[in-house]
Amino acid sequence: MTALAALIRRDIRIALRVGGGALIGVLFFLTVVVLMPFAVGPDLALLTRLGPAILWLGALLASLLTLDRLFMADHEDGSLDLIVMGRVPLELACAGKALAHWLAAGLPLVVATPVLGLLLNLDLLATAAVALTLLAGTPALTFTGMIGAALAVTLHRGGLLLAVLVLPLSIPVLIFGVAASEAAIAGPLSFGAPFSILCALSLVSFVVGPFAAAASLRHGLD
Amino acid sequence: MKLSDLANPTRFLSLTGRLLPYLAAATAIVLLIGLYLSATAPDDYQQGATVKIMFIHVPNAWLSMFVWAVMSAAALGTLVWRHPLADVAAKAAAPIGASFTFLALVTGSLWGRPMWGTYWEWDARLTSVLILFLMYLGLMALWRAVEDPSRAARAAAVLTLVGALNLPIIKFSVDWWNTLHQPASVFRMGGSTLDRAFLIPLLVMAVGFTLLFVTLHLAAMRNEILRRRVRALQMMQARASASELGPASPASQPA
Amino acid sequence: MSFGPYASFIVTSYLAAALVVVLLIAWIALDYRSQKRRLRELEDSGVSRRSGRSATDIK
């Protein structure tokens, strides 16, 4: 257990220090959201309506881009081989790495959401709803994306291939994330139903993600 | 590759070599009967003659899912038993499955134009088939991204199984999303109320297309085995010429 | 046999299916031929499989 905690602490420290790149994800998120009004026009009413969708798409793309480094850096300096051979079960180690990655790269996105909501003319309730759905949904993005990251590291390919493989798998999270935020703002539906499905998707990804990533690493790194 | 592993592909090649002509003939006969039955099927009182599109749309849609199931079974064979024939089966199935999925999309869109008045409706079924098509293309991109076939096979196997787990979830979410956004006027086919006059041609066509898939899949698997033999022989040739010329010779250095 | 006002859609979808199936068959047949030819060329140039059997002999 202490080995796992050490792994998580090490990963967070690497991600946050100089050259770690976790905070660049937040900057990317900010840039994407700022770009949107230039594409659709500075109409505040329209931006309010599209707000949750824009925030969710931005968070989805930002978390996808930072995933590239999840295993790659460890593979380059050899510590990934140590993790694979180590006494901590690989599934647990993968889960730990994903948790650390989410804490360093996913949580800042949630924290940045209120500021960006202000830019998109979202009121307090809407901003809170989007932040809450992102809090529940981004772990699912990280844990399913980890499968793609593990495949990418065993194939020595990243970037576009990873995006093409992972994005279709994240459609359910996007659907229920946006639906829950919109339900909280205006929709006829209650907030509870889509939100609890979103939480369920996150829970499923906690199980499937580490096992699939561990299987991919175990079969791929030989 | 070990000798014992080669034994099975060789037996597979000789067995399928004998089987394929019969399978092809059976496919042709069943498809011809199906085409005749669908040509003589009566018009639907609601949709008119466009119901005939169903006879190729539904078999292709069924195959788009069936092929993924076949690839998932092959993926288990790859990951659990590391059987080279399973790798071959998974790789050969992907482009064929993508073709059938593409056909399901095209015929669905051509069916939708007279029924809905537009080529593309964000209908739940069409949308989930579209996502399935994207996943097929991603899988094919993965196969093409890596040169070493067994390494690619293991990565593709993980992705196939994750996709198989995810497909029901995607289907469910798209259905849910669709009922949320659906304009009420869209035409729906009553699945259970399908008349016998349509059911029999549909079933014959479904059997015919499934036979077609089996035939094409076996033939593509044979090609894949031959491709691997070519690769193995080329590597032996390269090794032999390298050792003949000696390691010091600059001519033998690979570019 | 009349297809009603939407004949072009019906004919197009059947033609599309036929085209894709023919393309698949052609691709597989051409691929088979080219693999066989490469195997034969390799064997003619003196490379033999470790099992000693001929790679093209699959009947």
Side-chain angles (χ1 to χ4, degrees), chain B residues 167-186:
Chain B
L167 279 174
I169 299 179
I170 292 177
K171 180 82 176 68
F172 162 73
S173 356
V174 169
D175 278 342
W176 193 89
W177 165 82
N178 192 246
T179 49
L180 195 67
H181 295 275
Q182 189 58 248
S185 64
V186 166

Side-chain angles (χ1 to χ4, degrees), chain B residues 45-94:
Chain B
Y45 74 98
Q46 213 180 0
Q47 309 181 42
T50 47
V51 75
K52 292 196 197 310
I53 297 179
M54 178 183 75
F55 299 133
I56 46 173
H57 172 71
V58 172
N60 279 308
W62 136 251
L63 274 180
S64 68
M65 285 175 284
F66 177 71
V67 175
W68 199 284
V70 168
M71 289 195 308
S72 307
L76 279 180
T78 296
L79 289 182
V80 178
W81 296 287
R82 292 209 167 191
H83 200 290
L85 210 53
D87 302 4
V88 167
K91 186 178 180 187

Side-chain angles (χ1 to χ4, degrees), chain C residues 1-22:
Chain C
M1 188 166 61
S2 79
F3 289 152
Y6 300 116
S8 58
F9 293 102
I10 300 167
V11 173
T12 313
S13 49
Y14 274 77
L15 281 182
L19 181 73
V20 169
V21 169
V22 166

Side-chain angles (χ1 to χ4, degrees), chain B residues 130-248:
Chain B
L130 179 65
I131 297 168
L132 182 62
F133 184 56
L134 288 181
M135 289 172 65
Y136 270 114
L137 292 187
L139 197 60
M140 283 166 68
L142 179 58
W143 277 111
R144 290 186 60 87
V146 192
E147 218 211 325
D148 178 11
S150 64
R151 185 182 278 270
R154 278 170 263 149
V158 171
L159 186 69
T160 310
L161 288 178
V162 171
L165 281 176
N166 237 287
L167 279 174
I169 299 179
I170 292 177
K171 180 82 176 68
F172 162 73
S173 356
V174 169
D175 278 342
W176 193 89
W177 165 82
N178 192 246
T179 49
L180 195 67
H181 295 275
Q182 189 58 248
S185 64
V186 166
F187 152 82
R188 297 222 164 276
M189 190 185 72
S192 55
T193 58
L194 203 60
D195 194 80
R196 278 181 73 92
F198 301 124
L199 191 61
I200 289 171
L202 184 60
L203 283 178
V204 175
M205 286 297 262
V207 170
F209 269 96
T210 311
L211 277 173
L212 178 69
F213 164 68
V214 173
T215 313
L216 291 177
H217 187 213
L218 287 180
M221 279 175 74
R222 288 162 60 84
N223 289 350
E224 196 53 41
I225 292 173
L226 293 184
R227 202 190 323 279
R228 292 189 175 203
R229 287 192 177 170
V230 168
R231 195 180 129 85
L233 285 184
Q234 276 171 339
M235 288 174 105
M236 281 170 67
Q237 192 181 30
R239 224 173 288 136
S241 61
S243 59
E244 259 170 41
L245 291 170

Side-chain angles (χ1 to χ4, degrees), chain A residues 16-96:
Chain A
L16 292 182
R17 67 151 196 226
V18 180
L23 295 176
I24 297 179
V26 184
L27 185 59
F28 175 81
F29 185 33
L30 176 70
T31 316
V32 167
V33 171
V34 169
L35 274 182
M36 278 299 161
F38 296 112
V40 302
D43 177 5
L44 279 182
L46 183 64
L47 284 178
T48 310
R49 207 170 69 76
L50 294 179
I54 294 173
L55 288 174
W56 257 96
L57 268 181
L60 179 64
L61 294 177
S63 73
L64 186 74
L65 283 182
T66 49
L67 271 173
D68 220 11
R69 305 297 298 165
L70 181 52
F71 291 113
M72 204 63 95
D74 281 354
H75 183 59
E76 279 161 6
D77 67 12
S79 45
L80 188 60
D81 293 321
L82 290 179
I83 293 172
V84 172
M85 287 186 295
R87 225 178 298 158
V88 180
L90 187 53
E91 285 81 4
L92 212 56
C94 283

